[in-house]
């Protein structure tokens, strides 16, 4: 197995060392995003129970593909933290690190004598990032927590789906992904504070919270008006027309009219300018109350044209439209291609892999993908040797079961 090669650019987080002790998915995703912009990320996994993301979803030749994305830019090593040798080794690693990311149930690190007191004693500048379903305290803190529970508890599922259908969960890790983004932001915020104070601190990230933030003003609406947002399917309570519509060739498009001027352009385009003169048309909420009329007008016109014709006409009218795409369309979409949203990464196990590129573009210090997810424990000996352990010490740890 060839050693991973560092990016050829000089990314902004170079010199930052992150220990990723977390699994499934928010904590590891945060570490991935830090690694994409130059942080040295060391993925620490149990010797016999690796991160379950290695086995999630489809695989090729026995190699999990999700891990290739989630594990990119990470060196991988094994360590059983519950053993004396594993505990001592982690403390030695933490003394060299800037950030530790973990998602054990509250109290687990403390049970192994690896809590904040021990870690901060080993490294007062360390940022300990704790990602759990419900946070470090409160009545639910010790419950098993997954993103699905956050999607249910936050109000997301309650407003998602058809009005006469059941609450609907997303078919992917939405809450975990939002929490991963929030965790990366929290880590960088804590590091900025450390630059001023010289001291590290604990980041407490509960997966149930970031998704509630992105749901918008629902708590405020309820607090002030007693308003509970209903399920509206693809429609919106704030504007119309806003829906998905089927084209003459059996494809689908999405239309949005959040701006009044766009709503007017759409109605002129579909040949119903008289609706613009209706008293209710001047308000987004009132248009939403008349969505049946507007959907009939817009949907009827779209149904008589192919998707290509619809998009061409909407673009000419400067009205907002997008095709409903599956992953096959995404892979060939010219806008994604122009942005470089998808990139090809060489993998020693599977060859060239196409995957999402780094999350955003920086003009002076861009991020990069140096390598996809590495095999379980591929860099254990290298990391420990760099830490100063001798071959005999590594062999002793392996005999103990710590590696």
């Amino acid at each position: 197995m060839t050693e991973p090669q560092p990016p050829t650019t000089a990314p902004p987080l170079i010199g930052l060392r992150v220990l990723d002790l977390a699994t499934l998915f928010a904590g590891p995703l945060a570490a991935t995003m830090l690694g994409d912009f130059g942080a040295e990320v060391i993925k620490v996994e149990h010797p016999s129970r690796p991160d379950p993301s290695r086995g999630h979803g489809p695989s090729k030749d026995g190699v999990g593909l999700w891990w290739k994305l989630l594990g990119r830019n990470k060196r991988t090593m094994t360590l059983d933290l519950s053993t004396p040798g594993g505990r001592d080794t982690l403390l030695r690693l933490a003394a060299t690190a800037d950030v530790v990311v973990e998602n054990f149930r509250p109290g687990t690190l403390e049970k192994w004598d690896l809590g904040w007191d021990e870690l901060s004693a080993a490294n007062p500048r360390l940022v300990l990032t704790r990602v759990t379903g419900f946070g470090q305290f409160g009545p639910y803190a010790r419950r098993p927590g997954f993103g699905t529970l956050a999607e249910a508890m936050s109000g997301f599922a309650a407003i998602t789906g058809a009005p006469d259908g059941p609450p609907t969960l997303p078919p992917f890790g939405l809450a975990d992904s939002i929490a991963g983004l929030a965790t990366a932001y929290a880590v960088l915020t804590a590091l900025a504070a450390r630059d001023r104070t010289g001291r590290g601190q604990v980041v407490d990230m509960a997966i149930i919270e970031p998704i509630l933030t992105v749901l918008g003003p629902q708590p405020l609406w309820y607090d002030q008006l007693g308003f509970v947002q209903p399920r509206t399917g693809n429609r919106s309570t704030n504007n119309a027309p806003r829906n998905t519509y089927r084209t003459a060739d059996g494809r689908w498009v999405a239309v949005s009219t959040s701006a009044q001027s766009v709503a007017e352009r759409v109605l002129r385009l579909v040949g119903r300018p008289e609706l613009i003169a209706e008293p209710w048309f001047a308000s987004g909420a009132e248009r939403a109350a008349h969505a049946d009329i507007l959907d009939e007008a817009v949907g009827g016109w779209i149904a008589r044209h192919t998707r290509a014709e619809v998009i061409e006409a909407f673009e000419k009218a400067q009205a907002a439209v997008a095709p409903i795409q599956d992953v096959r369309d995404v892979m060939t979409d010219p806008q994604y291609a122009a942005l470089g949203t998808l990139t090809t990464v060489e993998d020693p196990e599977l060859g060239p892999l196409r995957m999402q590129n780094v999350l955003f573009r920086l003009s002076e210090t861009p991020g990069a993908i140096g390598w996809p997810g590495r095999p379980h424990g591929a860099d254990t000996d290298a990391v420990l040797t760099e830490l100063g352990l001798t071959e005999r010490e590594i062999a002793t740890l392996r005999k103990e079961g710590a590696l």
Side-chain angles (χ1 to χ4, degrees):
M1 177 64 66
T2 58
E3 289 297 309
Q5 298 301 308
T8 58
T9 57
L13 300 183
I14 197 164
L16 190 72
R17 174 174 265 204
V18 179
L19 304 182
D20 176 9
L21 315 183
T23 59
L24 290 180
F25 282 99
L29 178 59
T32 300
M33 289 186 288
L34 297 173
D36 282 351
F37 285 89
E40 178 196 3
V41 181
I42 299 174
K43 176 73 175 181
V44 180
E45 299 173 85
H46 191 277
S48 60
R49 297 190 300 276
D51 189 326
S53 67
R54 291 180 178 272
H56 265 54
S59 62
K60 180 181 178 182
D61 299 336
V63 179
L65 296 174
W66 200 334
W67 168 251
K68 290 298 179 182
L69 176 68
L70 191 64
R72 70 190 191 188
N73 290 335
K74 298 179 183 181
R75 304 171 76 193
T76 62
M77 67 172 294
T78 60
L79 203 59
D80 185 346
L81 306 183
S82 68
T83 64
R87 173 193 179 275
D88 292 345
T89 303
L90 184 72
L91 287 175
R92 289 181 66 172
L93 281 168
T96 71
D98 299 280
V99 180
V100 169
V101 181
E102 63 97 0
N103 71 336
F104 299 106
R105 289 196 206 181
T108 301
L109 283 185
E110 286 74 11
K111 179 178 67 176
W112 296 332
D113 293 327
L114 285 171
W116 175 239
D117 289 344
E118 291 81 7
L119 289 170
S120 62
N123 182 357
R125 291 175 55 82
L126 186 71
V127 171
L128 173 61
T129 307
R130 318 195 78 167
V131 185
T132 57
F134 305 104
Q136 294 295 309
F137 54 90
Y140 303 163
R142 292 185 179 272
R143 291 182 181 179
F146 298 99
T148 297
L149 308 187
E151 290 146 11
M153 284 183 59
S154 63
F156 172 84
I159 65 170
T160 304
D164 56 352
T168 302
L169 295 167
F172 66 101
L174 176 64
D176 274 303
S177 298
I178 295 171
L181 289 163
T183 300
Y185 164 54
V187 166
L188 294 178
T189 302
L191 290 172
R194 188 187 72 175
D195 288 344
R196 295 195 311 274
T197 67
R199 300 188 307 276
Q201 60 183 300
V202 177
V203 172
D204 179 6
M205 178 61 68
I207 296 173
I208 60 172
E209 292 184 299
I211 189 171
L212 183 59
T213 296
V214 302
L215 283 171
Q218 288 191 51
L220 182 60
W221 286 339
Y222 181 75
D223 176 66
Q224 295 297 303
L225 303 172
F227 174 73
V228 178
Q229 184 173 338
R231 284 192 294 282
T232 57
N234 290 324
R235 289 179 172 177
S236 169
T237 57
N238 301 312
N239 65 81
R242 190 264 199 182
N243 214 325
T244 60
Y245 305 94
R246 192 169 188 170
T247 62
D249 54 349
R251 312 293 289 276
W252 291 85
V253 297
V255 172
S256 177
T257 57
S258 297
Q260 178 71 22
S261 59
V262 174
E264 293 175 5
R265 290 175 202 151
V266 170
L267 269 296
R268 291 192 187 99
L269 169 64
V270 302
R272 298 295 301 275
E274 76 279 3
L275 293 176
I276 300 172
E278 293 287 346
W280 48 263
F281 196 86
S283 161
E286 283 298 310
R287 291 201 312 273
H290 294 79
D292 286 343
I293 297 172
L294 296 172
D295 276 347
E296 182 181 1
V298 176
W301 184 88
I302 288 175
R304 297 191 297 272
H305 297 79
T306 66
R307 188 170 79 170
E309 291 170 342
V310 170
I311 292 175
E312 182 180 5
F314 267 70
E315 288 185 349
K316 186 176 180 180
Q318 298 185 52
V321 69
I324 303 294
Q325 301 190 148
D326 64 21
V327 68
R328 292 168 294 187
D329 302 310
V330 170
M331 299 294 272
T332 58
D333 183 278
Q335 182 61 31
Y336 282 131
L339 295 173
T341 307
L342 296 166
T343 189
T344 299
V345 184
E346 289 294 327
D347 179 65
E349 293 181 288
L350 299 177
L353 304 175
R354 289 189 72 193
M355 64 174 65
Q356 297 94 320
N357 209 336
V358 298
L359 191 60
F360 48 86
R361 290 163 292 282
L362 297 179
S363 63
E364 298 299 324
T365 55
I369 303 171
W371 59 88
R374 303 263 290 158
H376 181 229
D379 304 295
T380 300
D381 286 14
V383 170
L384 295 180
T385 298
E386 292 166 10
L387 192 62
L389 275 70
T390 65
E391 289 186 9
R392 176 175 293 183
E393 288 173 314
I394 295 172
T396 298
L397 288 171
R398 191 162 274 122
K399 183 177 181 180
E400 177 190 326
L403 304 180

